[in-house]
């Protein structure tokens, strides 16, 4: 049902009434799921209960801050590469696609649907990861040591199969090739690589944080938690509403 919803919503382009309404409905669904997870943790009758994990991360007695930094390094590298690509994707010449995820998702409906699905799952998974935090005093287990392209805000016009930026002069893109399919392939590869990192980390004996542990690690402080939630909500608004 979730996939069907994402496929239907992907037909609406940003800055339209239906796009904003369906994004608000999607946001409300994630918030409702988060409330259900919180209620389940508190033992409420109506809620979604998830058992807490038994192994904290970083693992006790396995190095200090440096070891923890090494354990989250693969995730930081992946995030850094994705951010760099999105920023450099703006470096395009006239009559060329932006290779940013926002522009490509509006140009290709299947990518827009997949991106909405990832956004929804990220919101639900974030709360689920925090709810499953180890309880105080828990003993860690013994582990081995070893359709229509996006309209740019500059007021450009659409042309067949490409984004036209009007007569505004721009420096030709030199850092990334202006090949839309290459941009789509990159953004499809990002979640695939994330799944591979998560799979490999679960076999590392706790040396590398898996996705759930990484989320808890970076959202421990209240300020960090608030900033991450705000960034997620803003990204959804920018990508799917306006």
């Amino acid at each position: 049902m979730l996939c069907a919803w994402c496929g239907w919503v992907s037909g609406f382009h940003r800055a339209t009434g239906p796009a904003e309404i369906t994004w608000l409905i999607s946001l409300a669904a994630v918030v409702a799921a988060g409330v259900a997870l919180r209620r389940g943790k508190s033992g409420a009758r109506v809620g979604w209960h998830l058992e807490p994990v038994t192994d904290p991360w970083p693992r006790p007695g396995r190095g200090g801050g440096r070891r923890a930094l090494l354990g989250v390094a693969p995730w930081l590298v992946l995030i850094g590469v994705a951010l760099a690509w999105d920023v450099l994707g703006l470096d395009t010449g006239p009559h060329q696609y932006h290779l940013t995820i926002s522009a490509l998702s509006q140009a290709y409906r299947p990518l827009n649907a997949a991106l909405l699905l990832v956004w929804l799952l990220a919101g639900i998974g974030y709360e689920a990861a925090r709810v499953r935090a180890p309880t105080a005093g828990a003993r860690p287990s013994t582990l081995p040591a070893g359709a229509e392209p996006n309209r740019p805000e500059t007021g450009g016009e659409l042309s067949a199969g490409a984004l036209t930026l009007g007569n505004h002069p721009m420096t030709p893109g030199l850092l990334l090739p202006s090949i839309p399919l290459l941009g789509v392939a990159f953004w499809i590869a990002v979640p695939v690589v994330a799944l591979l990192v998560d799979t490999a980390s679960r076999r590392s004996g706790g040396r590398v944080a898996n996705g759930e542990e990484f989320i808890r690690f970076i959202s421990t402080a209240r300020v960090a938690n608030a900033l991450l939630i705000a960034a997620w909500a803003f990204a959804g608004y920018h990508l799917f509403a306006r």
Side-chain angles (χ1 to χ4, degrees):
M1 182 177 292
L2 191 58
C3 292
W5 169 260
C6 293
W8 179 63
V9 171
S10 66
F12 302 119
H13 293 285
R14 291 180 309 193
T16 62
E20 294 178 356
I21 293 172
T22 51
W23 176 75
L24 287 173
I25 294 173
S26 301
L27 178 64
V30 175
V31 172
V35 171
L37 287 166
R38 282 292 169 185
R39 287 177 59 85
K41 182 179 182 180
S42 63
R45 256 187 182 182
V46 180
W48 185 4
H49 178 71
L50 297 178
E51 291 294 331
V53 298
T54 57
D55 299 317
W57 198 91
R59 302 289 190 265
R62 297 193 181 182
R66 182 178 179 183
R67 181 65 61 87
L69 182 60
L70 291 175
V72 299
W75 297 104
L76 296 178
V77 170
L78 180 61
I79 293 172
V81 169
L83 287 176
W85 179 283
D86 210 48
V87 171
L88 295 178
L90 294 170
D91 181 39
T92 51
H95 311 289
Q96 294 176 340
Y97 270 104
H98 287 303
L99 297 186
T100 59
I101 185 61
S102 58
L104 291 172
S105 65
Q106 288 295 299
Y108 298 97
R109 182 173 177 178
L111 183 62
N112 194 23
L115 184 62
L116 177 59
L117 180 62
V118 170
W119 183 78
L120 290 170
L121 294 178
I124 298 173
Y126 179 83
E127 188 61 29
R130 289 181 56 81
V131 165
R132 278 170 47 83
T135 56
R139 289 187 175 183
S141 61
T142 303
L143 296 174
E148 174 185 321
N150 179 50
R151 294 178 182 270
E153 296 179 358
T154 54
E157 300 176 353
L158 294 170
S159 63
L163 288 177
T164 304
L165 302 181
N167 296 322
H168 297 283
M170 290 187 66
T171 303
L174 300 175
L175 299 176
L176 293 180
S178 299
I179 304 174
L181 291 181
L182 181 60
V184 172
F186 174 84
W187 289 111
I188 291 176
V190 168
V192 172
V193 172
L195 289 174
L196 293 176
V197 171
D198 184 76
T199 301
S201 66
R202 293 178 188 276
R203 301 176 181 178
S204 68
R207 291 186 298 274
V208 179
N210 59 42
E212 186 177 346
E213 292 166 340
F214 175 67
I215 289 173
R216 285 195 294 269
F217 182 73
I218 64 174
S219 64
T220 302
R222 286 188 176 182
V223 174
N225 180 40
L227 289 175
L228 287 170
I229 293 175
W232 171 82
F234 175 78
Y237 179 78
H238 171 66
L239 290 170
F240 310 113
R242 189 175 293 273

